[in-house]
Amino acid sequence: MSKKFYLVLGILVIASLALAACAPETVTVVETVIVEKAGETIIETVVVEVAAEAPVVEEPVAAAAECCDAYRVAIFEEPVSLNYWNYLGPGSSVWTQYVLAGQAPALFTLSDKRFDFVPSLAKAIPEAVDNGDGTYTITVEMVEGATWSDGEPVTANDVVFTHNACKDLKLTQNWPNQCSPNGVDVTAEAADDYTVVYTFAEAPSLGTWQAGIALAPILPQHFWADGVAAAYVFVDGVAAPEMERPEDCEAEGADADACAAYATYDEAYTNARTTLYEADAAGAPSAGGYTTDKWEAGAFVQRTANDGYYFKGAEIVEFEDGTWSLTMPDGTAYELYGNAEGEETLRYTSGPYSPNVIFSIYGSQDAAFLALANGEVDYVINPLGLSRGLREQAEKGQGITTYTNADYGMYYIAFNMNKFPMSNYEFRQAADIVMDKEFVVNSVLGGVVFPMYSTMPPGNGFWYNPDTPAPYVGLSREERVNMAVQVLTDAGWSWETAPAWNADTEDVDPGVGIKGPDGQEVPELTILGPGPAYDPIRATFNQWISEWLRELGMPVKSELTGFNTILGPVFVDANYDMYILGWSLGNVAFPSYYYDFWHSSQCTADTGNYNTPCFKNDEYDALVEEFMSTGDLERAQELVYQMQVVLADQRPYINLFYKQTYDLANERVVFPYTETLGGIEAQAGMQTDAQVLLSK
Amino acid sequence: MWKFLGKRFLQMFITLLMFQTVTYFLMDAQPGDIADLLTLNPDIPPAERERIRVDLGLDRPPAERFLKYIGNFYKGDLGVSFSQFPRPVTEIILERLPRTLVLFLSASVISFWAGYASGKVLAWKRGGVIEYSSTLVGVILYTVFTPWFALMMIWLFAVYLDWLPPGKFLDPILWLTAPEGIHANDVFVRMIWSVMIATGVMILGLIGTQRLSSQLRKTGRWVSFVVPFIGVFLYWRFASSGISLYAWDILQHLVLPVLTVTLIAYGGTMLLMRTSMLETLREDYILTARAKGMPEKIIRDKHAARNALLPVWTGLVFSIGSSLSGGIITETIFSWPGLGLTLLNAAQVEDIPLAMGALTVTGVMTLLSHLVADIGYAFLDPRIRFS
């Protein structure tokens, strides 16, 4: 009795939920009805109970005959926040970037395929004016007619408001680059509702203007004014202490007064920032194609089309000669960088097309691609790379199309130039000679990646120097070993038994008892790198490189370890021999990483910055300093070309390979273009301009 | 009883403190920290990197951070998540915990009941084809590789048969039209409460009718069973503010993960019950009961199964405690955003406050499970007394 009883009981409880769910419901609604009262017709608002219809998925707004359905995108981590201040601050995450893409407009942007600097909410590209007192002014005329999704106009006041909040509240993480790039003081003023005047404390460069202030996001003052004002409360009247900031307040003899004053000062700004980062962003208007209006934690994020999007219906065309042109629906046209000659390389009309973009949050990459194969989502936005097995499995789904593009990243081995023998030029040269990248890439890894010879990925055509020397391509193993031994011998290296090619075994007889140019013993060396579970490609390279160096007689071992384990010795302590990692290279239009990674002032051991090899080269420093300060694009290109040659010769890094990106989407998604550096993922899934066809 | 409980709570507090101490320092001893990950971007100026470290308190020595953490913890403040800054850890746990509890409590209770019932019967009818085949199935389920099995279940029920959704806990397209202010967690919590209240009323009804005459008891039981059923129906029909459709959506998504976890847990429970029952059946008191001519069903259910239940009960209670963190695989494969998935993500990015919060909840649940197991023993076995 009791068993059956509990069984039936359980079933009925669940069934009651099901029955209730299936039953039509009555809901209370407010209706305006016309009623007859005492012979006269009046209009009255009454509360009535009506049978509610089952919720029906909103019919898409058809922009064309067969367009468009909701654009369903799979992601596999939750965004951190929908608060844009927090997104560029401590809540920075690539997943947040996707769900907020396009929400904050900018005065300028980068063109679609070529990444040229083009106007967005600015009318034209302005020139800097030298004020004669060391300062420079750039005056930007803004377009009129751009509005936020709530109908308020986007004005110069919004630009100045965002800029000042960033500066005044000392916003953290990615914000400093938006209001004081490279530490340059920039003030912003609104001359009128549609004119912004920037004043630079030094000559604007590509880094501070084109890749800095000009691309900074604009946030709506009318929405954020209260939130920002609440943050200002903490810092109003707070002045920086006059005394110098103590280096270490824990140290004996530290100036207690200065420490206390700075603690109070820092706390005020921390409180101000936290207030802003915590502010509720619900209902924040967007000036992009979509407004992010609903976030169901752990399940989905919903974006809704912004019908008032300023560029909706605009036609973008690019030509073979580099011309970029934009024609607004009202006929206003912009044309830059050419004379519209040659073949068209791009033509599309801007959306948004889909009524909604829905980001479904999956627990893992596998679950997301299974959902794609199963037709649950239209596209998987995947910043983490994709294993061949998972890709092939997903491709078996019905109507799945794969788009392949070059990745804007590089994978490399770095040498600690503060330590012997990595400090030795010939050691690095010999290492470069014996590294047969083509063999590993083609024979071992089956061509899943591409060998790389320059510090600029070839996909970034404007900056890539095709003449960067790559003298060891195509050498046989015998030639490599002989050449490396010759290079080392010429530089004074010696062995008890020198390495040599053995024609009988067709293998190398490893060197024994190697000594440096001055007879130094070569210490045991370690190549740190991610293990095969994290990245089998880098792990494979690591093992082959250590094997080739051992053949030269170098006591080298591979240490395959967790990613977090590499960060400490490389980026914090700068105490390593060699390591293999990769960089995603950020801004395609301005490769400032040439400064960050190799300028002598950025040495990790000295400053904690990102020049991990501690490469110090006067010639290179001069080139990169000029590059960072020039505003001349052609000169900048020449400098980057030269820097690639210097780095290929000096080898603080030896580039190993670059990858391809794979974007998998359902064929019913029509992207405006699919060939783009970094792939569709790097464009956040092209939400505004993708069309999700209803007919397929 | 109260003295026993007092002592146990003191022991639990000390154990929890030790657990938190060890866990915190183990978490902290991982190479690197979240600031390294957050600032692995050359566009972030050097001063910013240090500022982030200071803002997150990572510039302080581990012992100082730990003391501050523990002090705040026992004041009810679990801190702010580093990876979901500035969300409080408590808010994240309160959001995720109900989902994990629903998934694993449902699976544990169903698998316990099914394993207990089938293990008992199989041992009683030992030697038949059904016993051999059931044991084989039990062994397969007990030893199956969980990720593979979960993927097979998805393939079978979601892809091939297309009966059930393959993962997640709701259908975003349906939820596009959800009324303003209705969130999945609200629906979730309402579902849990309605089932709990209904079950509570049923159990009270059952207990209340124990001493009635046979006929009245039968009627009373049906009433105590029908009333909550109608109550649940009426609630979701009329008083649920139009959200029953969304509850049904969640319920549909719940079926596949619960079925998977249940099947995996069922194998172990059934085998354990069967083995325990076989040992019990060799006891003298079973022989005595048979010699006295008692009905077979009474001997099986009252004499043998109740005594054989103790180890199964222990397994059930302990599994509930550990399921919070042990559900990482299931939650990942089914995209079920519960506490296990949260713990995994937090540990991967060294979000110490969030990982500690999730681990502490697991620790508390495990300690409470031990307590419940001990109390349960006394009810199941009259020879055991609190002391």
Side-chain angles (χ1 to χ4, degrees):
Chain A
M1 160 70 189
S2 67
K3 272 187 309 179
K4 285 178 190 166
F5 180 79
Y6 284 118
L7 180 65
V8 175
L9 181 151
I11 290 169
L12 282 176
V13 168
I14 293 167
S16 66
L17 283 171
L19 275 172
C22 296
E25 293 160 359
T26 57
V27 291
T28 303
V29 295
V30 177
E31 280 191 348
T32 301
V33 296
I34 298 170
V35 293
E36 294 277 334
K37 269 191 182 174
E40 58 177 339
T41 303
I42 58 170
I43 297 174
E44 188 175 76
T45 300
V46 295
V47 176
V48 295
E49 289 252 305
V50 297
E53 289 177 7
V56 178
V57 178
E58 195 181 341
E59 282 296 316
V61 180
E66 50 183 15
C67 180
C68 277
D69 214 341
Y71 184 17
R72 301 164 307 162
V73 180
I75 53 178
F76 25 96
E77 267 187 44
E78 196 109 33
V80 175
S81 166
L82 299 186
N83 175 329
Y84 209 95
W85 302 99
N86 191 18
Y87 153 55
L88 286 185
S92 170
S93 109
V94 69
W95 310 101
T96 312
Q97 182 195 327
Y98 298 143
V99 303
L100 293 180
Q103 180 160 316
L107 293 174
F108 297 88
T109 188
L110 302 177
S111 65
D112 289 291
K113 292 186 84 172
R114 293 171 45 86
F115 304 103
D116 288 322
F117 182 69
V118 295
S120 178
L121 293 187
K123 280 183 178 169
I125 297 180
E127 292 293 326
V129 177
D130 186 347
N131 297 325
D133 58 356
T135 64
Y136 292 77
T137 297
I138 294 179
T139 303
V140 183
E141 298 284 329
M142 291 174 68
V143 296
E144 294 175 27
T147 59
W148 298 99
S149 50
D150 58 5
E152 292 287 322
V154 183
T155 68
N157 297 315
D158 293 320
V159 179
V160 174
F161 165 77
T162 312
H163 182 90
N164 288 344
C166 168
K167 272 179 73 177
D168 297 344
L169 299 173
K170 300 183 192 302
L171 297 185
T172 49
Q173 221 135 328
N174 295 290
W175 276 109
N177 266 349
Q178 318 300 325
C179 55
S180 51
N182 300 336
V184 174
D185 184 39
V186 184
T187 58
E189 286 175 61
D192 57 47
D193 278 354
Y194 295 99
T195 309
V196 187
V197 180
Y198 288 108
T199 307
F200 286 70
E202 58 182 61
S205 63
L206 291 174
T208 54
W209 171 237
Q210 280 96 329
I213 297 287
L215 302 180
I218 303 167
L219 296 175
Q221 182 177 17
H222 67 279
F223 179 83
W224 285 110
D226 290 344
V228 171
Y232 269 107
V233 167
F234 290 96
V235 294
D236 279 344
V238 176
E242 287 178 3
M243 56 278 258
E244 204 171 309
R245 184 186 280 272
E247 278 203 3
D248 184 5
C249 284
E250 302 292 310
E252 226 174 275
D255 184 344
D257 289 343
C259 287
Y262 273 101
T264 309
Y265 177 75
D266 291 342
E267 192 185 355
Y269 278 94
T270 302
N271 288 336
R273 287 190 295 266
T274 306
T275 301
L276 187 56
Y277 294 148
E278 283 178 348
D280 186 6
S286 161
Y290 288 92
T291 307
T292 310
D293 48 10
K294 191 170 184 178
W295 177 11
E296 190 62 63
F300 69 91
V301 177
Q302 174 191 309
R303 306 192 83 193
T304 302
N306 171 16
D307 288 330
Y309 178 46
Y310 179 66
F311 292 102
K312 185 173 181 180
E315 190 172 54
I316 291 100
V317 185
E318 290 184 11
F319 291 86
E320 213 171 21
D321 71 341
T323 306
W324 170 86
S325 87
L326 168 80
T327 308
M328 296 297 291
D330 64 3
T332 314
Y334 303 86
E335 193 171 287
L336 286 168
Y337 302 119
N339 302 313
E341 289 168 355
E343 293 282 310
E344 276 184 13
T345 54
L346 174 70
R347 177 183 285 273
Y348 73 91
T349 304
S350 185
Y353 294 101
S354 295
N356 297 99
V357 179
I358 300 158
F359 290 93
S360 283
I361 302 161
Y362 288 87
S364 66
Q365 203 182 29
D366 300 64
F369 279 99
L370 180 67
L372 176 73
N374 205 27
E376 246 189 84
V377 293
D378 303 308
Y379 172 62
V380 178
I381 195 160
N382 172 31
L384 303 183
L386 183 59
S387 73
R388 178 179 281 191
L390 187 54
R391 174 163 54 89
E392 288 175 352
Q393 193 184 12
E395 282 168 344
K396 287 178 188 163
Q398 200 177 1
I400 302 300
T401 309
T402 303
Y403 303 99
T404 310
N405 282 287
D407 188 21
Y408 188 48
M410 66 173 171
Y411 295 84
Y412 62 94
I413 179 168
F415 300 95
N416 187 343
M417 295 172 72
N418 279 338
K419 279 181 161 183
F420 177 78
M422 285 70 65
S423 56
N424 183 278
Y425 173 86
E426 287 77 16
F427 169 83
R428 300 194 303 274
Q429 186 185 1
D432 194 7
I433 293 168
V434 294
M435 280 180 210
D436 192 346
K437 298 172 211 175
E438 299 75 33
F439 167 74
V440 178
V441 165
N442 298 322
S443 303
V444 181
L445 297 170
V448 293
V449 291
F450 302 91
M452 189 171 180
Y453 306 101
S454 170
T455 43
M456 175 61 67
N460 193 346
F462 182 79
W463 298 106
Y464 172 68
N465 179 359
D467 299 325
T468 305
Y472 315 120
V473 178
L475 295 181
S476 68
R477 195 158 162 226
E478 179 183 1
E479 288 168 330
R480 286 176 187 276
V481 171
N482 291 340
M483 189 183 285
V485 169
Q486 191 61 51
V487 164
L488 291 172
T489 307
D490 291 347
W493 289 71
S494 60
W495 293 263
E496 287 169 17
T497 308
W501 179 256
N502 186 327
D504 294 336
T505 59
E506 293 199 334
D507 203 351
V508 179
D509 292 334
V512 178
I514 191 167
K515 290 219 169 18
D518 300 320
Q520 308 101 304
E521 296 285 340
V522 179
E524 188 166 282
L525 304 171
T526 303
I527 306 176
L528 285 171
Y534 183 83
D535 185 351
I537 299 172
R538 276 177 277 179
T540 306
F541 260 104
N542 195 330
Q543 287 173 315
W544 278 100
I545 291 169
S546 59
E547 171 66 21
W548 288 324
L549 289 174
R550 277 196 297 273
E551 287 179 353
L552 290 181
M554 308 285 179
V556 176
K557 65 173 175 145
S558 294
E559 189 170 318
L560 305 179
T561 182
F563 181 69
N564 290 358
T565 313
I566 302 169
L567 296 181
V570 171
F571 294 100
V572 181
D573 304 328
N575 184 16
Y576 67 92
D577 300 320
M578 292 167 268
Y579 73 89
I580 294 178
L581 277 180
W583 281 115
S584 182
L585 296 174
N587 191 339
V588 176
F590 184 69
S592 57
Y593 67 86
Y594 278 92
Y595 182 84
D596 300 316
F597 295 166
W598 299 297
H599 189 271
S600 59
S601 68
Q602 304 298 302
C603 169
T604 308
D606 301 340
T607 64
N609 291 344
Y610 288 98
N611 179 359
T612 51
C614 204
F615 175 58
K616 293 180 179 176
N617 181 291
D618 292 340
E619 181 194 357
Y620 182 83
D621 280 359
L623 291 169
V624 78
E625 282 163 16
E626 189 184 344
F627 167 70
M628 292 299 284
S629 60
T630 187
D632 179 347
L633 197 60
E634 283 181 21
R635 176 64 187 148
Q637 187 189 38
E638 280 172 30
L639 291 163
V640 171
Y641 273 35
Q642 289 174 45
M643 287 191 280
Q644 289 174 66
V645 174
V646 174
L647 290 171
D649 174 56
Q650 290 295 316
R651 305 176 182 88
Y653 284 10
I654 294 176
N655 292 86
L656 299 175
F657 63 92
Y658 65 94
K659 287 185 177 178
Q660 281 190 320
T661 64
Y662 295 95
D663 287 289
L664 272 68
N666 193 297
E667 64 184 1
R668 73 193 198 114
V669 183
V670 179
F671 295 106
Y673 54 97
T674 55
E675 285 178 19
T676 177
L677 183 60
I680 296 163
E681 175 272 317
Q683 310 288 330
M686 301 182 178
Q687 297 164 42
T688 301
D689 304 315
Q691 301 181 41
V692 183
L693 304 181
L694 291 164
S695 56
K696 290 199 178 183
Chain B
M1 167 78 169
W2 294 113
K3 196 176 165 190
F4 166 79
L5 283 178
K7 276 171 74 176
R8 282 304 305 271
F9 276 119
L10 184 63
Q11 283 174 3
M12 283 166 61
F13 172 71
I14 295 168
T15 312
L16 181 64
L17 198 58
M18 289 167 65
F19 169 74
Q20 286 179 305
T21 308
V22 172
T23 315
Y24 189 95
F25 285 104
L26 281 175
M27 290 288 301
D28 197 74
Q30 287 184 92
D33 58 42
I34 193 167
D36 293 337
L37 295 168
L38 288 176
T39 58
L40 204 61
N41 175 359
D43 289 340
I44 297 174
E48 286 310 308
R49 296 203 286 273
E50 193 47 41
R51 188 182 283 174
I52 289 164
R53 199 165 248 111
V54 172
D55 283 354
L56 298 180
L58 294 168
D59 60 323
R60 312 308 303 161
E64 185 183 323
R65 278 185 276 138
F66 171 70
L67 289 174
K68 196 170 176 186
Y69 175 80
I70 284 293
N72 288 336
F73 177 84
Y74 285 102
K75 281 187 254 167
D77 178 7
L78 273 66
V80 170
S81 165
F82 291 166
S83 61
Q84 296 181 45
F85 190 87
R87 266 188 101 189
V89 168
T90 315
E91 186 185 308
I92 298 170
I93 288 176
L94 286 177
E95 177 188 284
R96 303 298 167 100
L97 188 60
R99 301 169 189 176
T100 297
L101 282 176
V102 163
L103 176 58
F104 288 97
L105 274 178
S106 315
S108 297
V109 170
I110 297 170
S111 64
F112 171 76
W113 179 82
Y116 164 74
S118 56
K120 179 178 72 177
V121 174
L122 288 172
W124 191 255
K125 294 181 177 174
R126 196 181 177 194
V129 176
I130 292 176
E131 195 226 347
Y132 290 131
S133 52
S134 300
T135 306
L136 181 67
V137 170
V139 169
I140 291 169
L141 290 172
Y142 183 57
T143 55
V144 74
F145 183 52
T146 305
W148 175 84
F149 183 66
L151 287 170
M152 286 300 104
M153 292 290 283
I154 291 174
W155 174 81
L156 179 63
F157 289 104
V159 179
Y160 185 71
L161 297 172
D162 200 19
W163 288 353
L164 296 165
K168 302 176 63 64
F169 69 99
L170 50 77
D171 176 6
I173 298 289
L174 175 71
W175 281 71
L176 279 181
T177 50
E180 190 70 27
I182 292 294
H183 293 285
N185 253 33
D186 305 330
V187 181
F188 238 106
V189 170
R190 283 205 217 185
M191 287 170 70
I192 295 169
W193 276 112
S194 60
V195 171
M196 279 175 67
I197 290 170
T199 311
V201 171
M202 287 174 189
I203 291 169
L204 284 175
L206 285 174
I207 295 167
T209 53
Q210 285 280 28
R211 296 186 183 280
L212 298 177
S213 66
S214 174
Q215 189 54 43
L216 277 176
R217 189 165 66 228
K218 205 171 175 182
T219 313
R221 285 188 170 180
W222 274 108
V223 169
S224 65
F225 150 70
V226 170
V227 166
F229 167 73
I230 293 172
V232 168
F233 175 79
L234 291 176
Y235 171 75
W236 286 100
R237 173 74 175 77
F238 297 108
S240 60
S241 314
I243 60 169
S244 52
L245 190 72
Y246 306 101
W248 176 239
D249 182 45
I250 289 178
L251 210 57
Q252 278 181 309
H253 284 80
L254 188 63
V255 173
L256 195 51
V258 165
L259 181 64
T260 306
V261 177
T262 300
L263 284 173
I264 292 168
Y266 164 77
T269 310
M270 185 267 281
L271 291 172
L272 184 61
M273 183 64 199
R274 177 183 158 276
T275 309
S276 178
M277 185 83 175
L278 285 173
E279 283 175 13
T280 310
L281 289 176
R282 292 196 203 102
E283 296 288 341
D284 289 344
Y285 58 82
I286 301 294
L287 190 63
T288 307
R290 282 191 163 135
K292 280 163 48 179
M294 294 183 83
E296 290 283 287
K297 193 166 177 292
I298 298 287
I299 298 170
R300 188 190 71 187
D301 294 348
K302 304 259 171 166
H303 292 245
R306 190 170 169 182
N307 282 297
L309 186 63
L310 280 175
V312 183
W313 165 254
T314 312
L316 166 75
V317 176
F318 286 4
S319 74
I320 291 173
S322 59
S323 66
L324 292 182
S325 58
I328 289 171
I329 292 172
T330 319
E331 290 187 0
T332 304
I333 291 174
F334 287 102
S335 302
W336 192 267
L339 208 59
L341 199 54
T342 306
L343 173 60
L344 175 70
N345 290 336
Q348 279 176 338
V349 297
E350 301 194 36
D351 182 350
I352 295 177
L354 185 53
M356 279 301 295
L359 285 167
T360 302
V361 170
T362 306
V364 169
M365 292 297 288
T366 307
L367 289 169
L368 284 175
S369 303
H370 279 71
L371 182 67
V372 171
D374 287 351
I375 295 170
Y377 278 178
F379 284 104
L380 290 169
D381 188 343
R383 292 168 299 182
I384 295 172
R385 285 288 168 265
F386 300 116
S387 64

